[in-house]
Amino acid sequence: MLSHAPNLDEQIKNWQFIEVWIDPILFPPRMLMLVGDQDGCCCIYDPANQYKLIFKSLTYDEANSWLLEDEYERFDGRFLGDQPDS
């Protein structure tokens, strides 16, 4: 199970990567989760609000720009999904 949020597993079952973004100006920092799927679509979820979907885009660049506009910063690192065996 990916999370404790209802229906989140079904929404992002084909995820390829997850990035954590924070707003460093707030304390404690507000955290958002960017999830990219295998088709290139990206969704941004708010873990503090039962993983509510707050933004959806067809590209990573669009989601990235949305986060940067609100002055979020990407936390170093990325969580990768299982890669199929070659």
Side-chain angles (χ1 to χ4, degrees):
M1 177 176 267
L2 181 63
S3 74
H4 300 288
N7 301 321
L8 186 59
D9 293 333
E10 288 83 33
Q11 293 176 28
I12 57 173
K13 67 175 82 175
N14 294 322
W15 68 282
Q16 185 176 21
F17 66 87
I18 296 174
E19 294 178 353
V20 175
W21 287 73
I22 60 167
D23 181 347
I25 297 189
L26 298 175
F27 187 82
R30 181 172 182 205
M31 181 179 69
L32 297 177
M33 186 173 73
L34 185 151
V35 179
D37 70 16
Q38 295 173 353
D39 297 326
C41 295
C42 291
C43 294
I44 299 173
Y45 296 94
D46 184 354
N49 192 10
Q50 297 182 330
Y51 291 88
K52 179 181 176 184
L53 175 65
I54 58 173
F55 186 79
K56 185 172 184 174
S57 68
L58 296 176
T59 66
Y60 176 83
D61 289 337
E62 186 178 344
N64 187 25
S65 294
W66 187 87
L67 288 160
L68 292 173
E69 280 179 19
D70 286 345
E71 299 185 3
Y72 279 84
E73 296 178 10
R74 186 168 68 103
F75 182 77
D76 286 339
R78 185 184 269 190
F79 302 98
L80 299 176
D82 291 334
Q83 300 296 319
D85 294 332
S86 303

